[in-house]
Each structure stands twice: as structure tokens, then as C-alpha cells.
Amino acid sequence: MQYSHLLRRVALCAVLAFASQCCHRGKSTVSAVTLSTSSRWIVDEAGRRVKLACVNWPSHLEPVVTEGLGNQPVDAISKKVSALGFNCVRLTYPIVLASNASLSSLTVRRSLLAHGLAGTVAGVEANNPGLLDLTLIESFRAVVENLGENGVMVILDNHVSQPGWCCADDDGNGFFGDRHFDADVWVQGLGNMATMFAGVQNVVGMSLRNELRGPRQNPDDWYTYMQRGAEAVHAANPEALVIMGGLSYDTDLSFLAARAVDVSFANAAAGKLVFELHWYSFADARAWEAENANEVCGHAARGLARRGGFLLDAGFPLFLSEFGADTRGGVSRGGDRYIPCVAAVAAELDLDWALWALQGSYALRQGVAGAEEVYGVLDSSWSNVRNATALARIQSLQRPLRGPGYDDARAYTVLFHPITGRCVVRRAAALELGRCEDTEAWEYAQTASTLALRGATPLCLRAEGSGRPARLDTGGCRDDGDALSTWRLVSDSTMHVAVNATSSQAQGQDVGGGGGLLCLDVGDDGRTVVTNPCRCLHGDGECDPETQWFKLVTSTRATAAAAAAAVARGLIAT
């Protein structure tokens, strides 16, 4: 048994060594990037924040072939990732790819044919002929290399042990000691993978294990084995970020509040430790479908803080490495409500994140060839965006709002509209939804509850009545307690921004619509910022409040106007 184990390790080392030599023959065009952490931020060598705005791309299912290679050339897919604004791919793999030479030395052709996927073989031959007779490990590295050639960073994610769809409590891949989850083999595989990709310019991090789960899970074993795996990765590739997920399908890191991780690189000098969480609507499926969306969103946001958000205040980056919903729209009420909520939280916390998912389809998923992925950014042809409107909401989260290197301005407020992924901007005398890059600096005064555009004479936001455009009071912010300029956050989601029109009527002001609370909303043209009677504040599970959701988000980066002025003065380059 020991002799056969040694032979397998020698064979695997030979395969990995060949793959490493093979994939270094071409020169990557991506600039070398080494990331580390500075408190809660991920930064580059110069100490400037690098926000991970990633998309998941699987290679962990039964054939162990990166999805889509039978649909489009790998270079076309990589270019699409970059063109859509994603700077990073979370590329998944099974641990056996790095620990089992019999599997990793199979060619792409042989693996696909072994799973009855002759059609996919023909597709790879048409789109990626140079990959078809590479081994699985060589093909995987070729995908990484091509992403680098297109300027896309990669985080390697050990998704499962045995290849297959993830996840279930009883699939044998859930926790240390499960039938497919030998901790020693896992640690060895992580070390092998880290060694093979050490020095690969665009591989910036390694995620240790996806969605630990099942009846065996417990914090004590988590500390024992996750710390071993982390040290193995760091020893093999000290340049890489080491990303640790939690329990209960990566939804729970709450145990870290009582006991810190003890690894050699957790201190500020080493700066390589990152934590990850997942957040999907199906975690609260019934609530999203049937209960009041404000209350569900508020509850979910507080839950995220309790389950891992506290780590940001403790000085660690938190990577939301999986979130997403059905991109077709109108299919799932729960998903349609969840997406603007998670977008609002991600914007408020300015999180690093990875959307699930890139793929429009799978070569083979749970026994179905060509299965469609309705969460996918791309459609089943892999050439078109499935839903441009849904994608735009996510793209609005790609720019960093604050952090090291983005301290160009005193902290100001952005009025973010998460259902559209747009922000409140000024167009001449009107306010409308526009590109968040074009926002000016708003300021929310907590004591007076005024919202104003910052300037020598602040321009206060004022309601004019039901159905009417909100306007800027050019007379400056009043100090007389004007009710129509007194904005408060009045729902559990903290996204209903409202004035009390009843108080205004008591002061003799004509606001129409019968008084009551008036909330910021979007006009019938889908663009103009108006006020309407607040709806869906609580209780009613049938009511959809999302057009009235505006998140007050903090930024310290230069506004567009300030940046343009700095360019004009020659202070910064274009």
C-alpha cells in the first residue's frame, strides 16, 4: 500500500512538472500582480486597493474540463470576461486534479468521451483544437494562461474532492472525514496546486475549500484542517492570497468572533489572509417569496453582519465569493427581490465579490448533457449576454468606492439605486438616474436629516409632492426645519428615503396626494427622480418596493468633476 501510494505521488509529480513547463512556454501579457491585505482591504504592491470584481467559471464537474470550451474559443471567452468589466475569475477545480495522476493525465478528449460527450469533443475540436489532446491539468493551466493574456486575475477554488456538481450534505465531499474527503490528500493536493501555479503572474489567490457542510462539520476540526491547508498553500506560494471559507455551505464564519485563526501569515506584515462567504436567496427562499421585502432584506443584511461581516471591522477582507440569482427576470419573485438587496449591501460595504456565474450551460451537469445555467451571465451559446439589464446591476459594483489609494475626497454620500445599478446624478436642473461614475458629492446630515450636494452653498434635496420631481433648493439648506427637506430612512431595509408630507400640509404647503410619507422613487420615464407615497414599508408580502430603494453609500474617491478638473490642471494623467 505504501509503495503504490509512492508510485502515484511520483507519477503525479511528473504530470504536474510537465504541465508547469508546458504552460510557461508562452509569455503572458498580464502585468505581474502580487496582492496582499491592508486591514480589511486587498491591495497591490504599491499599497493601492485592488477590488476583486470576479465571476465564477467552473472546471470541477465530472469531465474536469473548463465549461464552454466546446462552445467558444477560450480566448473569446476570456476577452468577454474582460470586456464585461470583470477583473478576476474564480476558477473551480476538484482536488483529485492535483492529487490523482490517473485522472490529471487523461486528455480532454478521453475524459469527454468517457462521459459520452462526443458532441462536446466535436465542439472543442472546432473551437479549441489545441486543447483537445492536452491532459486535464494542462488544459486547466492553458485556461489560466489565456485569462492572464487578457489581463484577468485568477483565484483557484478547490470546489470539491471528487468531480461533480456541488453541493449536498450527503455527497461525500462535505467535510473532513467524509468518504471523498481525506484531509491528508486534500492538504497534499492544495500544496501541489499552489506549487504548480507559484510564479504564474495572474494567479493571485487560492480558495481552500468551497462550502464545507454536512453532519460532520464542527468548528474544532475546521480550525485543525483549514489551518493545515492554509499553511501548505502559503509555504508553496507565499505570494498568493489564502482564502478561507466557513461552515454551513460557506454561510457561517460566526465562530471566528470567539477564536481567531492561528496561521503564520495572518499578521499585518504577511498580509495574505482573506475570508469568504456565500449569500443566495434560497437561504431564505420562503421569506423572499412571501414576506415583506424590506423586512427580509433588513434581516438578511443583519444576518450577514453576524455571520461574517464583523470581520471587516476586525481588519480582514471579506470576499463574497458566490452570490447570484436567475438572470432571466420575472421567473422568481424571491430572486428578483434578493438581487437589489445584496447589491445594496455589497455597495454599502464595498465588498470584494465573485458572481455565480459566467457559464450559459454545462457540458454535463447531474447527468444532463448541455444543461442550461439560468444564473449565467452568458446565454447557452456562450457568445451573448443573457440579460443586459441584470448584468448592469452587477457592473455597477465593479468600481471601488473607497480604500487605500481612493482617498481623493472627504467622505461623501452616493445615492445608489440597486435595482437599476444606477445613481442619482444632476442633469442641468433635474435629478435623474445615471452612471454612478457621474455622481457628485452628496452629504447626509444625520442631525438635521438633510440631503445636499456639497458646495460653497449646499443645494438641498427637496420634495415637491406626490408624483413630482424632487428638486435642488438653490436657496441653500434651510434652517427652519422644512419638512419637505427632512429626509429619514423609514424602513427596515434602510432604503426608503422619505419626507413627512403630513407635517408639510400642517405648515400650509401644498404637496398633493393626500399627505403621509413621500419616498424617493423613479418616474414613469424610468429615469427622473420623483417622490411618491411610500409603499411596502412593512407587513405586506405581495408589495414590491424595489423602485423606491435608494442606498446611501459612502465614497472617498474623486468625483467625475473633480477628476476632470485635476486632469485639466495636469495634476493627474488621463
Side-chain angles (χ1 to χ4, degrees), residues 279-363:
W279 179 12
Y280 285 108
S281 65
F282 46 72
D284 301 290
R286 185 195 170 281
W288 281 115
E289 289 285 343
E291 298 178 18
N292 178 268
N294 280 299
E295 294 167 348
V296 178
C297 183
H299 173 78
R302 291 188 295 273
L304 185 80
R306 183 181 64 256
R307 293 181 287 104
F310 65 89
L311 291 164
L312 297 171
D313 293 331
F316 293 100
L318 182 64
F319 179 38
L320 186 63
S321 59
E322 284 189 28
F323 73 103
D326 193 319
T327 61
R328 293 172 295 177
V331 176
S332 164
R333 166 182 277 181
D336 292 345
R337 289 172 162 183
Y338 148 87
I339 279 293
C341 178
V342 71
V345 173
E348 180 183 31
L349 300 177
D350 204 7
L351 293 175
D352 300 278
W353 50 264
L355 177 70
W356 187 274
L358 175 66
Q359 65 276 10
S361 63
Y362 299 87

Side-chain angles (χ1 to χ4, degrees), residues 194-263:
T195 298
M196 181 169 59
F197 285 96
V200 177
Q201 292 178 337
N202 62 315
V203 174
V204 297
M206 290 187 62
S207 179
L208 299 184
R209 184 69 175 203
N210 180 71
E211 298 197 354
L212 293 170
R213 60 197 179 275
R216 290 179 181 269
Q217 65 177 330
N218 66 88
D220 287 341
D221 284 345
W222 185 95
Y223 283 100
T224 297
Y225 296 114
M226 290 293 273
Q227 291 175 168
R228 276 185 60 196
E231 294 288 7
V233 168
H234 185 67
N237 183 1
E239 300 300 312
L241 297 174
V242 179
I243 304 171
M244 304 176 89
L247 300 174
S248 300
Y249 293 82
D250 269 346
T251 66
D252 185 13
L253 289 161
S254 62
F255 50 89
L256 292 175
R259 176 183 171 189
V261 166
D262 182 15
V263 291

Side-chain angles (χ1 to χ4, degrees), residues 41-172:
W41 309 107
I42 294 171
V43 298
D44 62 15
E45 298 95 324
R48 183 177 177 85
R49 185 189 177 188
V50 175
K51 181 173 183 174
L52 298 179
C54 312
V55 66
N56 283 273
W57 189 1
S59 298
H60 67 272
L61 279 81
E62 283 89 341
V64 199
V65 175
T66 307
E67 300 298 337
L69 299 185
N71 302 81
Q72 292 289 328
V74 63
D75 192 59
I77 299 173
S78 294
K79 282 181 166 58
K80 180 74 75 174
V81 170
S82 179
L84 294 176
F86 299 103
N87 64 7
C88 162
V89 159
R90 182 175 179 253
L91 190 66
T92 71
Y93 69 93
I95 205 67
V96 290
L97 182 65
S99 63
N100 186 322
S102 298
L103 176 82
S104 59
S105 61
L106 278 177
T107 65
V108 171
R109 184 194 302 270
R110 287 177 58 200
S111 181
L112 291 172
L113 289 176
H115 290 89
L117 299 173
T120 304
V121 170
V124 176
E125 192 160 30
N127 290 291
N128 295 286
L131 301 183
L132 191 57
D133 292 310
L134 293 183
T135 65
L136 296 179
I137 194 67
E138 292 165 5
S139 172
F140 185 81
R141 283 230 18 185
V143 171
V144 172
E145 183 86 3
N146 188 265
L147 285 164
E149 290 169 1
N150 287 284
V152 179
M153 297 179 288
V154 170
I155 291 171
L156 301 176
D157 166 60
N158 173 225
H159 215 68
V160 288
S161 294
Q162 287 295 113
W165 179 249
C166 179
C167 299
D169 283 351
D170 60 354
D171 62 9

Side-chain angles (χ1 to χ4, degrees), residues 3 20 29 31 86 117 129 174 194 215 237 254 259 343 397 450 504 506 552 556 574:
Y3 181 67
S20 180
T29 59
S31 299
F86 299 103
L117 299 173
N237 183 1
S254 62
R259 176 183 171 189
L397 303 173
T450 55
S504 302
L552 304 188
T556 57
T574 55

Side-chain angles (χ1 to χ4, degrees), residues 524-556:
D524 293 338
D525 61 3
R527 183 183 71 252
T528 304
V529 177
V530 303
T531 53
N532 280 317
C534 298
R535 65 177 184 274
C536 320
L537 296 183
H538 51 78
D540 186 354
E542 294 299 312
C543 187
D544 292 315
E546 292 85 1
T547 65
Q548 291 189 343
W549 278 358
F550 288 81
K551 192 68 175 178
L552 304 188
V553 174
T554 300
S555 179
T556 57

